[in-house]
Amino acid sequence: MLYYLFDWINRLYAPPGFDAFRFITFRSGLAVLTSLIICFLFGPKIIRKLKEHQIGETIREEGPERHKAKAGTPTMGGLIIHLGVLVPILLWGDLKNMYVWLAILVTVWLGIVGFIDDYLKVVKKYPNGLIARYKLMGQISIGLIVGVVLYNSPEFDGIETITTLPFIKNLNWDYVYWWIYIPVIVFIITATSNAVNLTDGLDGLAIGVVGISALTLTIMAYVSGHIEFSRYLSIVYLRGSGELAVFLSALVGASLGFLWFNAYPAQVFMGDTGSLALGGIIGAVSVMIKKELLLPVFGGVFVIETLSVIIQRLYFKYTKKKYGQGRRVFKMAPIHHHFELLGWEEPKIVTRFYIIAIIFAILSLVTFKLR
């Protein structure tokens, strides 16, 4: 909204400096700053309201012993993240852009799914919250919407099913058929949404890794929407996708702002209100800019966390069937709990996971030059 106001003033009166509002990089910087200000202003108020209404985290009995001290910490703090993302993009984004509205839709849609889940768990005291199949239905539904919109989008005309193939120059991957392309999008958004949810188990872990992934995607979105950079890097040029850099910059700002309150020892947890939406954003933006095949690289921490859970469950079922007693590969899954039970302090685990996430992010960006 402010973008249009300043653009109108610039076209009408051309005051010095107002031309900067046309540039994505300038508005991305404004989005980060606006997001931080919003989180710092409204974060304490939201946390206070959550405490007043006794909306506190319930700790699972089977979780690590030290986590029981966290019982009662306010949850549903994802509301802070949503404010920090949505307000800046509405202020500084080009609201005529399809990519921006898709990203907003994914954020709000999965935010509502997560909010319902948290509400049922924390307020209504349903132990498992929203029934798993209903949660899955919400994730699959938004995946279908994103897939159908992208496939029929004028911006994707002629390149509907094509995506960037990492590491190999001048070669893209083609899903060929819509009935392959759309289910792949559904799977990516659903899987990434759940992966971030699994990662959200230590103070500051999920939001920090999301911030690193969002910064990586910001760079990818900008170069994908820039005709010269995309030509130089031999990647698919996507007209208008650069505007996602503004949205993702708001997400980077919201991640930093929320981390201020979520760092060890956490004053608030994001809950499913935050984690499901954040994962959905990462997955959806990846497919929008046709970088979903790079997602396992820059989102490597999410992949490791998810695989640790899958391996643990499959091995437990296999050994129980074979030996009559289930055995475990890890002391506890997801894998961050394994390190806790090895005696690592929580801040050390989180910091090392940040380092791993940064390494993965750098590797994903390096693949552009390899192409």
Side-chain angles (χ1 to χ4, degrees):
M1 296 174 185
L2 288 179
Y3 162 60
Y4 291 112
L5 172 63
F6 290 128
D7 183 58
W8 176 77
I9 293 173
N10 183 50
R11 284 187 284 106
L12 201 61
Y13 303 107
F18 271 59
D19 201 45
F21 290 98
R22 293 190 303 109
F23 297 102
I24 288 173
T25 47
F26 184 71
R27 288 185 286 115
S28 294
L30 290 174
V32 173
L33 293 174
T34 305
S35 182
L36 283 168
I37 291 168
I38 288 169
C39 289
F40 291 152
L41 280 178
F42 292 98
K45 296 177 182 178
I46 292 173
I47 294 170
R48 190 163 55 249
K49 285 293 180 183
L50 292 172
K51 285 181 178 178
E52 286 175 7
H53 291 85
Q54 298 181 330
I55 301 176
E57 182 73 10
T58 303
I59 305 300
R60 295 178 304 154
E61 286 297 323
E62 64 271 21
E65 186 67 27
R66 68 175 74 172
H67 281 221
K68 291 180 181 178
K70 300 182 181 185
T73 302
T75 189
M76 297 174 76
L79 294 171
I80 300 170
I81 301 169
H82 283 277
L83 269 179
V85 172
L86 295 175
V87 173
I89 190 59
L90 291 175
L91 290 176
W92 304 115
D94 180 359
L95 300 182
K96 298 174 184 175
N97 186 284
M98 174 205 70
Y99 296 103
V100 168
W101 279 112
L102 263 185
I104 291 173
L105 178 62
V106 171
T107 306
V108 174
W109 187 294
L110 290 176
I112 291 171
V113 173
F115 182 87
I116 294 171
D117 188 40
D118 284 336
Y119 181 81
L120 291 175
K121 276 190 289 191
V122 180
V123 180
K124 292 298 184 180
K125 306 300 180 184
Y126 294 179
N128 298 317
L130 185 64
I131 296 172
R133 66 174 176 272
Y134 294 150
K135 190 188 297 186
L136 197 61
M137 283 170 58
Q139 293 168 323
I140 291 173
S141 297
I142 191 62
L144 282 170
I145 291 171
V146 171
V148 170
V149 170
L150 289 179
Y151 185 79
N152 293 285
S153 168
E155 283 84 351
F156 275 29
D157 189 31
I159 55 169
E160 294 90 344
T161 58
I162 293 175
T163 192
T164 300
L165 196 62
F167 306 107
I168 304 173
K169 189 175 183 179
N170 297 323
L171 184 63
N172 296 310
W173 177 260
D174 193 344
Y175 294 106
V176 183
Y177 304 108
W178 67 266
W179 45 267
I180 297 177
Y181 175 70
I182 293 176
V184 167
I185 289 179
V186 171
F187 171 77
I188 289 168
I189 292 175
T190 302
T192 313
S193 178
N194 288 318
V196 173
N197 186 246
L198 289 173
T199 307
D200 186 31
L202 298 179
D203 296 355
L205 177 57
I207 194 63
V209 178
V210 163
I212 293 165
S213 298
L215 181 58
T216 308
L217 279 171
T218 302
I219 297 169
M220 292 182 181
Y222 181 72
V223 298
S224 296
H226 193 291
I227 192 165
E228 295 299 330
F229 287 149
S230 58
R231 182 185 294 123
Y232 172 72
L233 295 168
S234 300
I235 58 176
V236 179
Y237 168 64
L238 300 167
R239 180 168 50 89
S241 68
E243 197 65 30
L244 281 171
V246 182
F247 177 90
L248 291 162
S249 295
L251 178 54
V252 171
S255 298
L256 292 172
F258 184 74
L259 183 59
W260 184 270
F261 305 105
N262 187 234
Y264 182 87
Q267 297 171 253
V268 66
F269 299 138
M270 71 171 74
D272 286 5
T273 305
S275 61
L276 292 183
L278 290 174
I281 293 168
I282 297 296
V285 171
S286 298
V287 298
M288 282 186 221
I289 62 173
K290 297 187 176 292
K291 303 296 179 290
E292 67 271 19
L293 297 183
L294 271 172
L295 181 53
V297 182
F298 69 80
V301 170
F302 303 130
V303 174
I304 292 169
E305 293 274 25
T306 305
L307 285 177
S308 70
V309 173
I310 294 171
I311 291 168
Q312 186 87 322
R313 289 183 177 177
L314 290 178
Y315 187 72
F316 186 85
K317 289 179 180 179
Y318 168 74
T319 52
K320 188 173 183 179
K321 185 177 181 180
K322 186 172 182 178
Y323 303 110
Q325 184 177 4
R327 300 175 185 176
R328 293 174 173 83
V329 177
F330 308 104
K331 289 181 178 294
M332 187 177 289
I335 199 169
H336 55 256
H337 291 319
H338 171 78
F339 293 114
E340 274 192 289
L341 296 182
L342 284 177
W344 292 21
E345 292 298 322
E346 192 167 330
K348 177 178 282 190
I349 299 169
V350 172
T351 303
R352 288 182 173 175
F353 272 54
Y354 285 176
I355 294 169
I356 294 168
I358 291 169
I359 292 170
F360 280 138
I362 293 170
L363 284 173
S364 67
L365 294 174
V366 166
T367 64
F368 280 70
K369 189 59 182 173
L370 290 177
R371 285 176 54 87

